[in-house]
Amino acid sequence: VAGRFPSRRTTRKIIDAAGVPLAAPSANLSGSPSPTCARHTMDDMRGRIDAVLDGGECNFGVESTVVTLATPVPRLLRPGAVTPEELREVLGELEIDDAVMGQLKEGVKAASPGMKYKHYSPKAEITIVKGTLDQFVRYISGTGERENTFALCFDGEEEKIPLRCVTYGRQDDPLTQSHRLFTALRELDEQGAVKVFARCPSTDGVGMAVYNRLLRAAGFSVTDA
C-alpha cells in the first residue's frame, strides 16, 4: 500500500470533502505523457469521463517521489520533486534503485509505476543524446535525417540546431525542465514529429526525475555524441 500526499490545495479539499481515502488511476491514457494541466487530460480522456476539475497547471510537472520503507534501507523507486538529498536529511540512509537510472533487469518485479517499460512516451521515436550542445549539433547533422525530425532542446538553443525544435526548460534549471517536459512531449505529437533527438539533462537534484522520465519516454534509447 502506498500513500500519496498531494501538495495541491484543491486536491486536499476534495479528499477532505470525501471523508474517505481515495484511489484513482492517472488522468491520461496508459503509456502516454502524463498530464500537467486540465487540457492534457481532456485531450486524452474526452468522451471517457464526465468532467475535469481545473486546479491550474502542476507546480513541478513530474509525478510524485516514490520511496519504499519495506527494505532494510529505504529505497528510492521513482524520483520526483523531493530529491535524494532531501530524503537523506530525513531518512539518513537512502538507496537508489538500479531501475531509476536504467532499465529494470529481466525477471525483476516492478515495485512502482513507471519502472518497467517504455512510459510517458509520445508517438515519436526519441533518442537521448549525451554531450555538449556543439557535440549534439554535430551528431544530428551527421544523421542526415530531416523530414519530421525534431530536436528536444533547452531554451535558447533553437538558433544553433538545424532541426525544428521544441524546448523543455533552461539547461541549468531542472525545475523548469520538470515543469515543461510532459508538455513538450505532447507538443511533439501535435507538430507531427516522427523522430526526436533529445538533449540530455543533468541528473542532479530534480534533474534525476527529469532524466528518469525522459529515459522511459525514449524507451531507454541513449547515445553518446
Side-chain angles (χ1 to χ4, degrees), residues 7-90:
S7 60
R8 206 70 171 191
R9 185 181 178 189
T10 304
T11 311
R12 294 202 306 269
K13 283 186 173 182
I14 293 170
I15 294 170
D16 288 342
V20 294
L22 298 181
S26 298
N28 62 300
L29 297 178
S30 179
S32 66
S34 296
T36 57
C37 65
R39 180 178 65 82
H40 294 164
T41 294
M42 289 305 301
D43 288 345
D44 274 11
M45 308 301 288
R46 194 179 305 276
R48 299 167 184 261
I49 57 177
D50 294 325
V52 171
L53 180 63
D54 188 351
E57 289 190 353
C58 292
N59 291 334
F60 294 106
V62 294
E63 301 85 353
S64 54
T65 306
V66 179
V67 180
T68 178
L69 304 179
T71 50
V73 175
R75 180 177 297 164
L76 178 65
L77 301 179
R78 184 174 73 180
V82 181
T83 66
E85 294 78 12
E86 291 170 327
L87 290 169
R88 288 190 175 104
E89 288 180 7
V90 176

Side-chain angles (χ1 to χ4, degrees), residues 143-175:
T143 64
E145 300 200 45
R146 287 295 179 273
E147 190 174 353
N148 297 324
T149 301
F150 283 68
L152 181 63
C153 62
F154 302 120
D155 296 349
E157 296 181 341
E158 304 95 313
E159 292 183 1
K160 297 183 178 180
I161 296 174
L163 293 175
R164 287 178 287 176
C165 296
V166 171
T167 62
Y168 75 109
R170 296 190 295 273
Q171 182 176 7
D172 58 352
D173 189 349
L175 283 175

Side-chain angles (χ1 to χ4, degrees), residues 90-108:
V90 176
L91 298 172
E93 291 184 277
L94 178 74
E95 293 179 347
I96 297 176
D97 196 281
D98 290 341
V100 166
M101 302 294 286
Q103 197 163 3
L104 194 68
K105 293 178 181 177
E106 191 173 345
V108 176

